mmCIF file of all heavy atoms in Angstrom:
data_model
loop_
_atom_site.group_PDB
_atom_site.id
_atom_site.type_symbol
_atom_site.label_atom_id
_atom_site.label_comp_id
_atom_site.label_asym_id
_atom_site.label_seq_id
_atom_site.Cartn_x
_atom_site.Cartn_y
_atom_site.Cartn_z
ATOM 1 N N CYS A 23 -67.789 -139.644 145.029
ATOM 2 C CA CYS A 23 -67.445 -141.016 145.040
ATOM 3 C C CYS A 23 -66.911 -141.459 146.403
ATOM 4 O O CYS A 23 -66.581 -142.611 146.599
ATOM 5 C CB CYS A 23 -66.422 -141.443 144.009
ATOM 6 S SG CYS A 23 -64.859 -140.702 144.164
ATOM 7 N N GLU A 24 -66.939 -140.540 147.291
ATOM 8 C CA GLU A 24 -66.625 -140.852 148.760
ATOM 9 C C GLU A 24 -65.368 -141.537 148.969
ATOM 10 O O GLU A 24 -65.283 -142.452 149.884
ATOM 11 C CB GLU A 24 -67.817 -141.560 149.416
ATOM 12 C CG GLU A 24 -69.121 -140.812 149.408
ATOM 13 C CD GLU A 24 -70.223 -141.556 150.043
ATOM 14 O OE1 GLU A 24 -70.106 -142.762 150.316
ATOM 15 O OE2 GLU A 24 -71.293 -140.808 150.330
ATOM 16 N N ARG A 25 -64.381 -141.166 148.228
ATOM 17 C CA ARG A 25 -62.997 -141.808 148.385
ATOM 18 C C ARG A 25 -62.202 -140.713 148.961
ATOM 19 O O ARG A 25 -62.264 -139.514 148.859
ATOM 20 C CB ARG A 25 -62.432 -142.286 147.155
ATOM 21 C CG ARG A 25 -63.078 -143.534 146.601
ATOM 22 C CD ARG A 25 -62.384 -143.933 145.281
ATOM 23 N NE ARG A 25 -61.056 -144.229 145.320
ATOM 24 C CZ ARG A 25 -60.450 -145.459 145.807
ATOM 25 N NH1 ARG A 25 -61.332 -146.460 146.006
ATOM 26 N NH2 ARG A 25 -59.228 -145.608 145.856
ATOM 27 N N ILE A 26 -61.219 -141.166 149.825
ATOM 28 C CA ILE A 26 -60.182 -140.312 150.459
ATOM 29 C C ILE A 26 -59.065 -140.087 149.343
ATOM 30 O O ILE A 26 -58.544 -140.957 148.789
ATOM 31 C CB ILE A 26 -59.597 -140.945 151.684
ATOM 32 C CG1 ILE A 26 -60.611 -141.398 152.711
ATOM 33 C CG2 ILE A 26 -58.585 -139.949 152.291
ATOM 34 C CD1 ILE A 26 -61.603 -140.321 153.171
ATOM 35 N N GLU A 27 -58.798 -138.631 149.180
ATOM 36 C CA GLU A 27 -57.852 -138.360 148.087
ATOM 37 C C GLU A 27 -56.478 -138.694 148.735
ATOM 38 O O GLU A 27 -56.059 -138.120 149.791
ATOM 39 C CB GLU A 27 -57.905 -136.985 147.756
ATOM 40 C CG GLU A 27 -56.940 -136.695 146.709
ATOM 41 C CD GLU A 27 -57.004 -135.245 146.079
ATOM 42 O OE1 GLU A 27 -58.009 -134.568 146.454
ATOM 43 O OE2 GLU A 27 -56.146 -134.819 145.329
ATOM 44 N N VAL A 28 -55.653 -139.559 148.034
ATOM 45 C CA VAL A 28 -54.364 -139.743 148.488
ATOM 46 C C VAL A 28 -53.222 -138.860 147.732
ATOM 47 O O VAL A 28 -53.272 -138.862 146.507
ATOM 48 C CB VAL A 28 -53.922 -141.305 148.187
ATOM 49 C CG1 VAL A 28 -52.426 -141.600 148.530
ATOM 50 C CG2 VAL A 28 -54.849 -142.269 148.855
ATOM 51 N N LEU A 29 -52.703 -138.082 148.485
ATOM 52 C CA LEU A 29 -51.792 -137.020 147.891
ATOM 53 C C LEU A 29 -50.484 -137.670 147.504
ATOM 54 O O LEU A 29 -49.790 -137.316 146.588
ATOM 55 C CB LEU A 29 -51.575 -135.848 148.863
ATOM 56 C CG LEU A 29 -52.774 -135.242 149.320
ATOM 57 C CD1 LEU A 29 -52.515 -134.175 150.443
ATOM 58 C CD2 LEU A 29 -53.542 -134.499 148.193
ATOM 59 N N TYR A 30 -49.983 -138.623 148.304
ATOM 60 C CA TYR A 30 -48.668 -139.270 148.067
ATOM 61 C C TYR A 30 -48.699 -140.567 148.828
ATOM 62 O O TYR A 30 -49.245 -140.777 149.922
ATOM 63 C CB TYR A 30 -47.558 -138.432 148.627
ATOM 64 C CG TYR A 30 -46.238 -139.293 148.384
ATOM 65 C CD1 TYR A 30 -45.534 -139.262 147.203
ATOM 66 C CD2 TYR A 30 -45.689 -139.994 149.553
ATOM 67 C CE1 TYR A 30 -44.402 -139.887 147.062
ATOM 68 C CE2 TYR A 30 -44.502 -140.731 149.332
ATOM 69 C CZ TYR A 30 -43.846 -140.732 148.010
ATOM 70 O OH TYR A 30 -42.730 -141.422 147.838
ATOM 71 N N GLU A 31 -48.097 -141.678 148.135
ATOM 72 C CA GLU A 31 -47.934 -142.958 148.809
ATOM 73 C C GLU A 31 -46.703 -143.701 148.264
ATOM 74 O O GLU A 31 -46.441 -143.496 147.010
ATOM 75 C CB GLU A 31 -49.189 -143.798 148.637
ATOM 76 C CG GLU A 31 -49.603 -144.239 147.402
ATOM 77 C CD GLU A 31 -50.711 -145.190 147.404
ATOM 78 O OE1 GLU A 31 -50.805 -146.116 148.258
ATOM 79 O OE2 GLU A 31 -51.567 -145.091 146.509
ATOM 80 N N ASP A 32 -46.094 -144.440 149.101
ATOM 81 C CA ASP A 32 -45.050 -145.359 148.743
ATOM 82 C C ASP A 32 -45.128 -146.657 149.686
ATOM 83 O O ASP A 32 -46.036 -146.630 150.522
ATOM 84 C CB ASP A 32 -43.634 -144.742 148.496
ATOM 85 C CG ASP A 32 -43.198 -144.106 149.859
ATOM 86 O OD1 ASP A 32 -43.569 -144.500 150.938
ATOM 87 O OD2 ASP A 32 -42.370 -143.184 149.788
ATOM 88 N N GLU A 33 -43.991 -147.363 149.674
ATOM 89 C CA GLU A 33 -44.102 -148.546 150.563
ATOM 90 C C GLU A 33 -43.844 -148.224 152.009
ATOM 91 O O GLU A 33 -43.968 -149.106 152.935
ATOM 92 C CB GLU A 33 -42.974 -149.554 150.168
ATOM 93 C CG GLU A 33 -41.530 -148.960 150.079
ATOM 94 C CD GLU A 33 -40.563 -149.945 149.521
ATOM 95 O OE1 GLU A 33 -40.280 -151.019 150.038
ATOM 96 O OE2 GLU A 33 -39.975 -149.658 148.401
ATOM 97 N N TRP A 34 -43.488 -146.985 152.428
ATOM 98 C CA TRP A 34 -43.143 -146.513 153.711
ATOM 99 C C TRP A 34 -44.276 -145.618 154.322
ATOM 100 O O TRP A 34 -44.457 -145.656 155.606
ATOM 101 C CB TRP A 34 -41.822 -145.839 153.836
ATOM 102 C CG TRP A 34 -40.683 -146.746 153.412
ATOM 103 C CD1 TRP A 34 -40.117 -147.750 154.176
ATOM 104 C CD2 TRP A 34 -39.970 -146.584 152.220
ATOM 105 N NE1 TRP A 34 -39.086 -148.327 153.483
ATOM 106 C CE2 TRP A 34 -39.029 -147.666 152.349
ATOM 107 C CE3 TRP A 34 -40.001 -145.862 151.055
ATOM 108 C CZ2 TRP A 34 -38.090 -147.957 151.273
ATOM 109 C CZ3 TRP A 34 -39.117 -146.150 150.025
ATOM 110 C CH2 TRP A 34 -38.167 -147.180 150.124
ATOM 111 N N MET A 35 -44.849 -144.767 153.549
ATOM 112 C CA MET A 35 -45.710 -143.784 154.019
ATOM 113 C C MET A 35 -46.788 -143.346 153.088
ATOM 114 O O MET A 35 -46.730 -143.649 151.916
ATOM 115 C CB MET A 35 -44.967 -142.593 154.598
ATOM 116 C CG MET A 35 -44.129 -141.886 153.329
ATOM 117 S SD MET A 35 -43.212 -140.552 153.800
ATOM 118 C CE MET A 35 -44.433 -139.246 153.832
ATOM 119 N N LEU A 36 -47.793 -142.639 153.538
ATOM 120 C CA LEU A 36 -48.714 -141.970 152.695
ATOM 121 C C LEU A 36 -49.340 -140.764 153.348
ATOM 122 O O LEU A 36 -49.384 -140.631 154.567
ATOM 123 C CB LEU A 36 -49.929 -142.974 152.235
ATOM 124 C CG LEU A 36 -50.860 -143.391 153.247
ATOM 125 C CD1 LEU A 36 -52.116 -143.930 152.602
ATOM 126 C CD2 LEU A 36 -50.386 -144.606 154.130
ATOM 127 N N ALA A 37 -49.679 -139.828 152.449
ATOM 128 C CA ALA A 37 -50.285 -138.581 152.906
ATOM 129 C C ALA A 37 -51.678 -138.470 152.230
ATOM 130 O O ALA A 37 -51.742 -138.706 151.012
ATOM 131 C CB ALA A 37 -49.409 -137.358 152.579
ATOM 132 N N VAL A 38 -52.672 -138.104 152.992
ATOM 133 C CA VAL A 38 -54.107 -137.964 152.352
ATOM 134 C C VAL A 38 -54.630 -136.602 152.656
ATOM 135 O O VAL A 38 -54.155 -135.889 153.597
ATOM 136 C CB VAL A 38 -54.989 -139.126 152.906
ATOM 137 C CG1 VAL A 38 -54.412 -140.387 152.749
ATOM 138 C CG2 VAL A 38 -55.306 -138.843 154.313
ATOM 139 N N ASP A 39 -55.686 -136.303 151.954
ATOM 140 C CA ASP A 39 -56.388 -135.000 152.169
ATOM 141 C C ASP A 39 -57.711 -135.298 153.003
ATOM 142 O O ASP A 39 -58.604 -135.824 152.422
ATOM 143 C CB ASP A 39 -56.780 -134.488 150.753
ATOM 144 C CG ASP A 39 -57.446 -133.058 150.990
ATOM 145 O OD1 ASP A 39 -57.743 -132.588 152.064
ATOM 146 O OD2 ASP A 39 -57.705 -132.420 149.911
ATOM 147 N N LYS A 40 -57.530 -135.061 154.285
ATOM 148 C CA LYS A 40 -58.683 -135.445 155.215
ATOM 149 C C LYS A 40 -59.865 -134.518 154.869
ATOM 150 O O LYS A 40 -59.732 -133.284 154.878
ATOM 151 C CB LYS A 40 -58.208 -135.292 156.613
ATOM 152 C CG LYS A 40 -59.319 -135.461 157.710
ATOM 153 C CD LYS A 40 -58.945 -135.091 159.105
ATOM 154 C CE LYS A 40 -60.042 -135.102 160.094
ATOM 155 N NZ LYS A 40 -61.086 -134.115 159.708
ATOM 156 N N PRO A 41 -61.071 -135.107 154.752
ATOM 157 C CA PRO A 41 -62.249 -134.286 154.514
ATOM 158 C C PRO A 41 -62.594 -133.588 155.902
ATOM 159 O O PRO A 41 -62.331 -134.080 156.965
ATOM 160 C CB PRO A 41 -63.347 -135.323 154.241
ATOM 161 C CG PRO A 41 -62.564 -136.531 153.776
ATOM 162 C CD PRO A 41 -61.325 -136.577 154.501
ATOM 163 N N GLY A 42 -63.297 -132.443 155.749
ATOM 164 C CA GLY A 42 -63.739 -131.866 157.099
ATOM 165 C C GLY A 42 -64.913 -132.585 157.673
ATOM 166 O O GLY A 42 -65.642 -133.252 156.976
ATOM 167 N N SER A 43 -65.080 -132.472 159.011
ATOM 168 C CA SER A 43 -66.093 -133.103 159.694
ATOM 169 C C SER A 43 -66.012 -134.682 159.807
ATOM 170 O O SER A 43 -67.020 -135.246 160.058
ATOM 171 C CB SER A 43 -67.506 -132.635 159.189
ATOM 172 O OG SER A 43 -67.653 -131.321 159.209
#
Side-chain angles (χ1 to χ4, degrees):
C23 63
E24 298 183 347
R25 287 178 62 86
I26 306 301
E27 182 175 353
V28 178
L29 303 171
Y30 175 82
E31 65 173 320
D32 60 23
E33 60 186 294
W34 296 287
M35 59 179 280
L36 67 160
V38 307
D39 187 357
K40 175 190 172 296
S43 302

